[in-house]
Amino acid sequence: MLQKCRWKSLVGKFIGIGVGPGDPELITVKAVKTLKTVDVIAVPKTHADAPSIALSLIKHILEERAKPAEVLELVFPMTKNESEAKKCWAESARLIAEKAESGKTIAFITLGDPFFYSTFIYLFQTLKQKYPHVTMEIIPGVTSLTACAARAQVPLAEKDEVIAIIPSDIDFKLIEETAEHADNIVFMKCAHRFKALMPILEKSGFTKNATVALVRRCGMSDEAVIIGRLGDVPEWNIPEDYFSMAIVKRSEFPINREKEDLL
Amino acid sequence: MLQKCRWKSLVGKFIGIGVGPGDPELITVKAVKTLKTVDVIAVPKTHADAPSIALSLIKHILEERAKPAEVLELVFPMTKNESEAKKCWAESARLIAEKAESGKTIAFITLGDPFFYSTFIYLFQTLKQKYPHVTMEIIPGVTSLTACAARAQVPLAEKDEVIAIIPSDIDFKLIEETAEHADNIVFMKCAHRFKALMPILEKSGFTKNATVALVRRCGMSDEAVIIGRLGDVPEWNIPEDYFSMAIVKRSEFPINREKEDLL
């Protein structure tokens, strides 16, 4: 037992930090404080020379540090090949465990929140299984969920309302069944097939007057918001964009047409 | 048109600010900056002499201000009488509109996020309908949703998983139907009937090995976290507490028993 405690005290910590949805001011005070003191900043990238939005959001914080942080780039290629993906996670987990074992504190930065559809989860799980002696901590962040609602000025849910959060690439039948029992639906990363979802929602009992808000690149310089009724959506001009989210409300929430901004 | 623009420029602004889930450091940089400059801080209370948790979380920020803020207490009694509640919202909206019309900026503080099951929504709707010339802004906050997941170290959702967020007081049949199509469920303010929900989840296809995390008073000094399997819940000792939230995952997420902390 003594052995175990001594081992623990020598090992550093791995911290997952949510840096918020895209607006650099929507990061928490706790995240800022932590980013100013950790030894290593781990940055996920899809390939070695890809820019990192998460890193660009915290650049000014890192510049204020007395001692520069070590930046550790972790490459996770977008792949459907599970064994290839697992190999990447295992290698990244090994690098992080090695740094933690040398007493360092490592912060992994992630857009939004580390536990809300983030790639951080795979790394967290790998470390938990293979290196259980490394202490982990999660600093939650503002998600695109509430940030998009705020920008569109459309409340997510009140009183006894049920919210369903749906990754829009799932099967239409499952979307239809899920939507049937929800008052409010949030579609994650949906712009590429948002129009195709409207007839599915109508089958689930949403009327043409249901409130719809679509937000692209929330809080970023090229943000766009479009608000209207479900019946209007077929006429919308929606460019594809990975960073897009929609809120659909069964209720006919009053819409301030002045606030509309075409995509 | 010119008339309208001039009127708009004279009128102040009403800002809904999420101050986070309970840990004073889980407030955003944007919220802190705004709270240091607004003229009025509007604080919701259930009755005149009730303390405000939201106000206690930002006290240190208000103390750092060069010029003290005016604090406007708004009383919204817990009532099931809708016309009585509406009267309170109308009176509060009138007070806020009056201040905004005199050119002041008013910040309404709310625990978590202003659009996620917050009383702020009623005030927002009343102002939007009755005083549409008052500009409104929402500053999103970290919700209990991601804060509880972070404390319990249980991811909310990954890949194509569907999340259902369910206020736990709704009808059992609706809970059962909603749960059927969800991979992960979040029960809001659920401690008082959490044990009764377990058989409902089993009917919806959740096994006794499903992962369950219950978090009470997340981020506050008397926080408690309990993690286990759905089959363990009947043996748990769960005191009632308004500020409680649970995450139930269809998957058997590995649990680190060392991290368990009985309620």
Side-chain angles (χ1 to χ4, degrees):
Chain A
M1 198 59 195
L2 185 68
Q3 193 63 31
K4 190 179 166 197
C5 294
R6 201 198 298 155
W7 172 239
K8 271 217 160 182
S9 69
L10 291 173
V11 174
K13 203 189 218 177
F14 181 54
I15 310 173
I17 301 188
V19 300
D23 175 341
E25 289 202 336
L26 287 181
I27 192 170
T28 66
V29 170
K30 190 169 214 152
V32 173
K33 276 192 183 176
T34 308
L35 288 168
K36 284 191 179 167
T37 57
V38 292
D39 304 300
V40 183
I41 311 279
V43 184
K45 291 187 147 197
T46 48
H47 49 90
D49 52 357
S52 160
I53 300 179
L55 186 59
S56 72
L57 292 181
I58 61 157
K59 219 174 163 198
H60 63 290
I61 300 166
L62 299 186
E63 282 165 0
E64 282 170 17
R65 285 176 56 122
K67 189 187 156 198
E70 179 188 339
V71 173
L72 173 67
E73 295 192 349
L74 302 174
V75 178
F76 306 117
M78 294 267 198
T79 173
K80 296 265 181 202
N81 180 329
E82 205 167 330
S83 83
E84 197 188 319
K86 276 193 178 162
K87 232 168 90 182
C88 290
W89 297 118
E91 174 56 12
S92 292
R94 194 189 61 76
L95 286 172
I96 285 164
E98 204 175 82
K99 295 210 181 282
E101 280 158 13
S102 73
K104 288 183 177 169
T105 303
I106 308 103
F108 181 101
I109 53 169
T110 188
L111 265 180
D113 178 273
F115 273 169
F116 190 76
Y117 299 106
S118 165
T119 49
F120 170 77
I121 297 171
Y122 311 115
L123 195 51
F124 170 83
Q125 285 170 331
T126 311
L127 273 152
K128 196 165 168 170
Q129 279 160 4
K130 296 197 177 175
Y131 308 94
H133 55 284
V134 175
T135 303
M136 290 196 277
E137 188 189 329
I138 316 293
I139 300 180
V142 173
T143 60
S144 54
L145 189 74
T146 61
C148 290
R151 292 304 293 168
Q153 299 213 350
V154 170
L156 276 167
E158 50 186 295
K159 289 183 205 155
D160 287 344
E161 289 180 350
V162 169
I163 309 177
I165 301 171
I166 304 180
S168 55
D169 272 340
I170 65 172
D171 180 69
F172 278 153
K173 191 73 198 153
L174 180 55
I175 294 179
E176 187 187 326
E177 288 166 351
T178 306
E180 261 171 36
H181 307 290
D183 299 294
N184 304 301
I185 298 179
V186 176
F187 288 107
M188 307 294 296
K189 295 165 185 163
C190 59
H192 66 290
R193 72 166 186 172
F194 193 55
K195 286 190 182 185
L197 296 173
M198 297 306 108
I200 313 292
L201 290 180
E202 285 185 46
K203 280 190 198 165
S204 305
F206 282 73
T207 72
K208 288 203 183 294
N209 281 326
T211 308
V212 181
L214 181 63
V215 183
R216 186 190 73 186
R217 303 183 79 81
C218 183
M220 300 182 192
S221 59
D222 48 354
E223 175 190 81
V225 178
I226 182 164
I227 306 169
R229 304 291 172 202
L230 197 133
D232 306 335
V233 175
E235 287 148 44
W236 290 2
N237 173 24
I238 306 174
E240 284 190 22
D241 198 295
Y242 183 73
F243 291 106
S244 64
M245 212 196 76
I247 301 165
V248 185
K249 287 173 79 80
R250 206 170 272 276
S251 62
E252 296 176 25
F253 189 77
I255 292 172
N256 189 346
R257 295 267 169 187
E258 262 182 69
K259 292 231 173 70
E260 272 188 51
D261 181 4
L262 291 180
L263 279 167
Chain B
M1 199 60 195
L2 185 70
Q3 192 64 29
K4 191 177 165 201
C5 293
R6 202 197 297 157
W7 171 238
K8 271 219 161 181
S9 69
L10 291 173
V11 174
K13 202 190 221 178
F14 181 53
I15 309 172
I17 301 187
V19 299
D23 175 339
E25 289 200 337
L26 288 181
I27 191 169
T28 65
V29 170
K30 191 169 213 152
V32 173
K33 277 194 182 175
T34 308
L35 288 168
K36 283 190 180 166
T37 56
V38 292
D39 304 298
V40 183
I41 311 279
V43 184
K45 290 185 147 198
T46 48
H47 50 90
D49 52 356
S52 159
I53 300 178
L55 186 59
S56 73
L57 292 181
I58 61 155
K59 222 176 160 195
H60 61 290
I61 299 166
L62 298 186
E63 281 165 3
E64 281 171 17
R65 284 175 56 119
K67 187 187 159 200
E70 179 188 338
V71 174
L72 173 67
E73 294 192 347
L74 302 174
V75 178
F76 306 117
M78 293 268 198
T79 175
K80 295 265 180 202
N81 181 328
E82 203 168 330
S83 81
E84 198 187 319
K86 277 194 175 161
K87 232 168 92 181
C88 290
W89 297 118
E91 174 57 13
S92 291
R94 194 188 61 76
L95 286 171
I96 285 165
E98 204 174 85
K99 294 209 182 284
E101 281 159 12
S102 74
K104 288 182 177 169
T105 303
I106 308 104
F108 182 101
I109 52 170
T110 189
L111 265 179
D113 178 274
F115 273 168
F116 191 75
Y117 300 107
S118 164
T119 50
F120 170 76
I121 297 170
Y122 311 116
L123 195 52
F124 170 82
Q125 285 168 330
T126 311
L127 272 152
K128 196 164 169 169
Q129 280 158 6
K130 294 196 179 178
Y131 308 93
H133 56 283
V134 175
T135 302
M136 291 197 276
E137 187 189 331
I138 316 295
I139 300 180
V142 173
T143 61
S144 53
L145 189 74
T146 60
C148 289
R151 294 302 295 167
Q153 300 211 350
V154 169
L156 275 168
E158 51 186 294
K159 287 180 208 160
D160 287 344
E161 289 180 349
V162 168
I163 310 177
I165 302 171
I166 304 179
S168 56
D169 273 340
I170 65 171
D171 180 69
F172 277 152
K173 192 72 197 152
L174 180 56
I175 294 180
E176 188 187 323
E177 289 166 350
T178 307
E180 262 172 35
H181 307 290
D183 299 294
N184 305 301
I185 299 179
V186 175
F187 288 107
M188 307 294 295
K189 294 164 186 166
C190 60
H192 67 289
R193 70 167 188 170
F194 193 55
K195 287 188 183 186
L197 297 173
M198 296 307 109
I200 312 293
L201 289 181
E202 285 186 46
K203 280 189 199 166
S204 306
F206 282 74
T207 72
K208 287 201 186 296
N209 281 327
T211 308
V212 181
L214 182 64
V215 183
R216 187 189 72 187
R217 303 184 78 78
C218 183
M220 302 183 191
S221 59
D222 49 355
E223 176 190 82
V225 178
I226 182 165
I227 305 169
R229 302 290 171 203
L230 196 134
D232 306 335
V233 176
E235 287 148 45
W236 289 3
N237 173 24
I238 305 173
E240 285 190 19
D241 198 296
Y242 183 73
F243 291 108
S244 64
M245 213 196 75
I247 300 164
V248 185
K249 286 174 81 79
R250 208 172 270 276
S251 61
E252 296 176 27
F253 190 77
I255 292 172
N256 189 345
R257 294 267 170 190
E258 263 182 67
K259 294 235 170 68
E260 273 190 48
D261 180 6
L262 292 181
L263 279 167

